[in-house]
Amino acid sequence: MPEQQQQQQAGGQVQNAGPARIGLARSRHALDAEDPSISKKPRGAAPSFAHNEISTVNGQKREKRGGQTTLTGLPVGAGGSGAGSSAGSGSSTGAGRSASAFPVKVYPKYSAADIEEHNEAIAIFLYGCNQPLSLVEHPDFQQMVFTLAPHMKGKLIGRKALATTMLDKVYEKTQSKVEGFLQEQKYVATSTDAWSSSHNAGAHVLNVNAIANGTSVFLDMVFTGADSQTGNYIATQVESVLGKWNILDKTVAFVTDWGSNMVKAGECLQEMLPHYAGGVNCLQHLISNGLKDFAKNESVASVMAKGKEVVQYLTGRTVPRAIYDEKKQQLGGTALVKAGTTRFGSNVLSMESVERNEKVLRATVSSDKFDSFIQSQSKATDKEAAIKFKGLINDTSSVLFSDIKWAVDTLAPFQSAIKEVEGDTAKLSDGYYAVQALTKHVEKISAAQGSYLNMMQDDDTPAQTLALAFDFATSGFAEAWDTRAKQATTDLVVAAAIVDPRYKDKLSSMPAADVVRGEALIEQLAGRMMGQQAQTKAKGQLMNYKSRPREIGITPAAVAATQTAGVAPETFWTDISHSCAELSEVARMLLSIPPTSATSERVFSAVSQVWDTGRSCMASARVRKLLFIYFNRKALSRDGAVRDAEDFAAYVKWLDSLNNEEEQEKQQQQQQQQQQQEQQ
């Protein structure tokens, strides 16, 4: 059959062999550019027709020619015309194919909305991870994006859009999420703090935050300029921010540090907020200040200085640190902790690491490598420092480790209390009992001739360390702590401790004076929130809660679930709200208040990262939006509602287990009765 007729039957439009060869060359060039991994013959090589086999792989026809596999047609079922249809129908005539017979790599088509969504995802990554917006212009970043999403070539968002339109879009979406979170909450506490901008000497900044259900969100950053930061001014600014978010009627407490202006602001808010329960002075600050009071004592300060000297020497010198790391691996030690500059409690952690690694430290300075290091020091001062360090660690007359053990035993309870009250789910009641435990610890230490020193003598504590302990015990620190403890246990804190079912068993040991003022505030809050009649009902319900809990639907199993099964106290009160609605409402409000202003501290950290020296000239409005996105996207990823669901599930599981135990006990009793009857 003539060649032209063959082409017409195949539906082709190729008029001669010349154009066909041109199309073949172009299609091969396209394959080389788009997918170099496909094995093809070198350009210009003669085609091989030996042992040709056609097969279908992933919807494409592949032709095996003499041991090589190449693409030979469009995807099976794909439409085509001309020589492309001929190839798609199984023809292996190379000269009769057009460029359509050699398809390039085809990607899915994306709409403009898809591209916008992908650019938004890139923007969220940059904002949320606090990356410079100029990163989109970096060739390596662009290569990564184009490798993962080739369709973004020529459509990747630019730096200007990231700083303007896209920033506004992501900010508005984050704002909606924060609004939704706040609308779901029954009660909200607010925290704030003021600071001076390091980038503008005349700018003062006030950040305002909201805390609810264990989640803290950043609301706003107010640039006060030259305005004074008095208590009245701060209260007015806080009220304005809360009003913008429509949570004035939900805000029940103001948590802040111990600054006099902040204390005054809390008092002013009492008149501005309808359901305001009171101000809370950060318990973490109070306990930290108590720890600092202890460290002012010369005995404690001298021991802390020795511990710092050990850690600084090893962490600041390469060879001694390498020797220590080697011994650490051999003896199963841990890394030494360097004391921080901002958190005083890190000094306790540093001393604990020295005490814990006594064997590793002694092995380090006793090794031949350390002696060789001493001899290798060319400077007299360096050699003297190494010899002094060895003597401090390994001399038989050294009491370093006994002194540090005493200091750690004295100060560690304070560090533990700080950790307990600064967690996301910590409550005012946790702060109350943490302070009570510290008060007992201080009383034990202050008994200079009592059990504390006797216990140390039983442990064969060196005389020098005993002298330090005696000097500290008689230094009058107990009076200073007693003052701070009274500042911490306000009426609001005591009231929260009374209604927390996790500590119900400790109510009998609570000081009578605390019980009286705590119960009085609970009754007042019920009257303020729900009226005089509710105040009377809450009083009776509180009496039943303490002495006759079953009359208001409280079972021992429900109380135990909050103590051992991890059920949230708020869930406990929600479950029995039908039988004691007034007390339940007040209890849930009190238990929603956090004991610390840790949120403000976290905002400080976020500001230092978002508004660093590289962004010192950035407009304050843009800084505010970046900070809002950066802080809140991370905060809202841990939604408290999820924890509530988990708590409820744990509560149900706990009750089921108790019911099973009761059934088992009944069955055992029935079996015993049957056995007794059979014996009779």
Side-chain angles (χ1 to χ4, degrees), residues 310 314 324 327 331 336 353-355 357-366 389 393-394 400-401:
V310 171
L314 279 179
Y324 176 85
K327 298 300 180 182
L331 300 175
L336 296 176
S353 69
V354 173
E355 179 196 5
N357 292 285
E358 178 181 355
K359 292 182 179 180
V360 181
L361 288 167
R362 291 187 182 278
T364 298
V365 299
S366 300
F389 177 76
I393 297 294
N394 219 31
L400 170 69
F401 294 103

Side-chain angles (χ1 to χ4, degrees), residues 583-599:
L583 180 60
S584 173
E585 194 70 25
V586 176
R588 283 181 287 174
M589 184 268 288
L590 290 171
L591 294 171
S592 69
I593 303 173
T596 71
S597 58
T599 301

Side-chain angles (χ1 to χ4, degrees), residues 8-28:
Q8 290 176 353
Q9 289 181 3
Q13 298 177 0
V14 178
Q15 300 299 324
N16 53 56
R21 292 193 181 94
I22 294 174
L24 176 60
R26 288 177 178 172
S27 63
R28 283 177 174 168

Side-chain angles (χ1 to χ4, degrees), residues 62-342:
R62 294 178 180 268
E63 181 176 353
K64 189 173 183 181
R65 297 180 177 177
Q68 291 185 331
T69 302
T70 58
L71 288 173
T72 63
L74 287 170
V76 175
S81 63
S85 296
S86 173
S89 62
S91 173
S92 60
T93 305
R97 298 195 191 99
S98 69
S100 60
F102 295 87
V104 298
K105 188 180 293 184
V106 178
Y107 297 103
K109 292 184 178 180
Y110 292 91
S111 65
D114 294 330
I115 300 297
E116 179 70 10
E117 182 180 356
H118 298 167
N119 275 324
E120 182 180 341
I122 293 172
I124 290 174
F125 161 75
L126 296 175
Y127 303 150
C129 297
N130 192 34
Q131 296 298 312
L133 305 186
S134 59
L135 187 62
V136 293
E137 300 175 350
H138 196 286
D140 290 340
F141 181 83
Q142 293 179 349
Q143 181 62 32
M144 178 196 70
V145 173
F146 299 155
T147 301
L148 298 175
H151 63 279
M152 295 298 292
K153 289 183 179 180
K155 299 176 182 178
L156 180 63
I157 189 170
R159 180 178 179 178
K160 183 177 180 180
L162 281 170
T164 54
T165 55
M166 183 59 74
L167 179 61
D168 293 339
K169 181 179 181 180
V170 177
Y171 171 76
E172 290 173 0
K173 286 189 175 182
T174 308
Q175 191 177 35
S176 298
K177 290 183 178 180
V178 174
E179 289 175 349
F181 169 77
L182 293 175
Q183 289 175 0
E184 294 173 356
Q185 307 309 315
K186 178 76 172 178
Y187 300 109
V188 174
T190 183
S191 68
T192 188
D193 212 338
W195 49 281
S196 298
S197 171
S198 60
H199 308 302
N200 188 341
H204 297 279
V205 184
L206 185 73
N207 65 69
V208 183
N209 319 287
I211 308 103
N213 203 19
T215 300
S216 303
V217 292
F218 168 66
L219 299 182
D220 206 349
M221 183 166 61
V222 182
F223 291 84
T224 62
D227 295 322
S228 60
Q229 295 186 9
T230 63
N232 290 328
Y233 178 81
I234 292 173
T236 302
Q237 295 299 319
V238 171
E239 181 192 24
S240 176
V241 173
L242 298 178
K244 291 178 182 177
W245 288 92
N246 297 319
I247 55 173
L248 284 172
D249 58 339
K250 293 184 176 183
T251 304
V252 296
F254 178 64
V255 188
T256 185
D257 61 18
W258 291 76
S260 58
N261 59 342
M262 293 298 172
V263 175
K264 178 64 177 177
E267 296 173 356
C268 295
L269 286 172
Q270 181 80 46
E271 302 175 358
M272 301 177 179
L273 303 177
H275 296 147
Y276 187 72
V280 177
N281 292 325
C282 177
L283 297 183
Q284 188 268 345
H285 279 81
L286 180 139
I287 298 173
S288 295
N289 289 335
L291 188 59
K292 292 179 181 178
D293 291 340
F294 279 34
K296 293 177 182 178
N297 180 273
E298 294 182 359
S299 301
V300 178
S302 63
V303 177
M304 290 179 60
K306 292 178 182 178
K308 284 185 178 180
E309 184 179 350
V310 171
V311 176
Q312 289 176 353
Y313 184 86
L314 279 179
T315 56
R317 290 167 174 79
T318 304
V319 175
R321 183 172 66 246
I323 299 173
Y324 176 85
D325 291 340
E326 180 183 344
K327 298 300 180 182
K328 179 182 68 176
Q329 295 293 333
Q330 295 175 358
L331 300 175
T334 59
L336 296 176
V337 178
K338 192 173 183 179
T341 57
T342 57

